[in-house]
């Protein structure tokens, strides 16, 4: 709660930022097309307040990607982000791409979570990692562009193979290296 999920999405989708962003109730839905990547993001911005936790599976089940956001000035938000990663690993779509965003990078003077700690955790868990600032617009586009380039594309129908070898256009998403800023 308060890590900046809505602010990151609003920055990415509309290029806006509000110092007094209202806490999300339930969830908000936004879309953004990235023509160069041939991707249309359909984004569920979930509510961080604990009372909405039980709604979350409705939004992440079937999702192709998830961005888990914590606030670099708040150690507890990092702990909670790790719990969300665990939940998504257990209950989310097994092919889901995940990115960890350490938000409020503009408040580095009040930092409570080191970049090294978060980066090591992300690496261990196969997550892309970036420190972001929705306020100063740092690395926001990068997080989404990285996901967009790694999302699996529907492959063109293949001619019937007689040799038993199946040809695919791209390696699976997990085999493609994350290009996010870690
Ligand atoms: N300094 C700074 N403040 C930020 C940043 N991103 C968000 N904020 C502020 O942090 C507060 C919470 O931001 P939200 O975007 O509402 O956070 P949230 O994670 O969506 O919160 P919930 O909807 O309650 O889960 C707001 O006052 C924002 O203005 C950032 O990058 N830097």
């Amino acid at each position: 709660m308060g890590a900046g999920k809505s602010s990151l999405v609003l920055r990415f989708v509309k290029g806006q930022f509000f110092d007094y962003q209202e806490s999300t109730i339930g969830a908000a839905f936004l879309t953004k097309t990235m023509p160069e990547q041939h991707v249309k993001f359909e984004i569920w911005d979930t509510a961080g307040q604990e009372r909405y936790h039980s709604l979350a599976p409705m939004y992440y089940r079937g999702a192709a990607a998830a961005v888990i956001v914590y606030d670099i000035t708040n150690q507890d938000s990092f702990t909670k982000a790790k719990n969300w990663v665990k939940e998504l690993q257990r209950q989310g779509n097994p092919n889901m791409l995940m990115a960890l965003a350490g938000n409020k990078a503009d408040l580095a003077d009040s930092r409570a979570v080191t970049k090294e700690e978060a980066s090591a955790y992300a690496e261990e868990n196969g997550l892309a990692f970036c420190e972001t600032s929705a306020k100063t617009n740092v690395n926001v586009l990068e997080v989404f562009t990285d996901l967009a380039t790694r999302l699996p594309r529907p492959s063109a129908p293949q001619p019937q193979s007689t040799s038993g070898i199946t040809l695919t256009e791209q390696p699976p998403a997990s085999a493609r290296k994350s290009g996010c800023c870690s």
Side-chain angles (χ1 to χ4, degrees), residues 60-65 88-98:
Y60 65 67
R61 212 176 281 138
L88 291 171
Q89 286 170 337
R90 275 198 219 113
Q91 279 158 241
N93 157 16
N95 297 319
M96 186 189 284
L97 298 178
M98 284 197 250

Side-chain angles (χ1 to χ4, degrees), residues 1-8 17-24 45-49 103-107 132-136:
M1 178 188 161
K5 299 179 295 297
S6 302
S7 300
L8 281 174
F17 176 81
F18 300 103
D19 276 313
Y20 300 98
Q21 176 66 40
E22 281 179 20
S23 190
T24 305
D45 168 24
T46 54
Q49 289 177 52
N103 191 43
K104 307 195 187 181
D106 56 292
L107 300 180
T132 58
S133 171
K135 182 165 183 162
T136 56

Side-chain angles (χ1 to χ4, degrees), residues 20-49:
Y20 300 98
Q21 176 66 40
E22 281 179 20
S23 190
T24 305
I25 295 169
F29 182 73
L30 295 95
T31 65
K32 168 91 170 175
T33 302
M34 299 187 89
E36 285 182 16
Q37 279 78 20
H38 306 286
V39 166
K40 180 183 178 192
F41 278 106
E42 297 180 332
I43 304 169
W44 283 106
D45 168 24
T46 54
Q49 289 177 52

Side-chain angles (χ1 to χ4, degrees), residues 50-128:
E50 190 47 43
R51 66 179 129 149
Y52 296 115
H53 192 140
S54 61
L55 298 180
M58 282 201 306
Y59 303 111
Y60 65 67
R61 212 176 281 138
V67 182
I68 300 99
V69 184
Y70 70 93
D71 171 351
I72 68 156
T73 71
N74 181 338
Q75 180 68 45
D76 184 50
S77 85
F78 184 54
T79 304
K80 293 214 165 88
K82 290 195 276 190
N83 290 337
W84 277 109
V85 171
K86 261 190 224 146
E87 179 169 334
L88 291 171
Q89 286 170 337
R90 275 198 219 113
Q91 279 158 241
N93 157 16
N95 297 319
M96 186 189 284
L97 298 178
M98 284 197 250
L100 180 67
N103 191 43
K104 307 195 187 181
D106 56 292
L107 300 180
D109 289 349
S110 318
R111 174 189 291 281
V113 183
T114 66
K115 201 170 176 178
E116 291 69 28
E117 178 185 6
S119 174
Y121 169 78
E123 177 122 28
E124 277 162 28
N125 286 274
L127 316 174

Side-chain angles (χ1 to χ4, degrees), residues 130-141:
C130 248
E131 285 198 345
T132 58
S133 171
K135 182 165 183 162
T136 56
N137 195 13
V138 169
N139 284 336
V140 180
L141 186 60

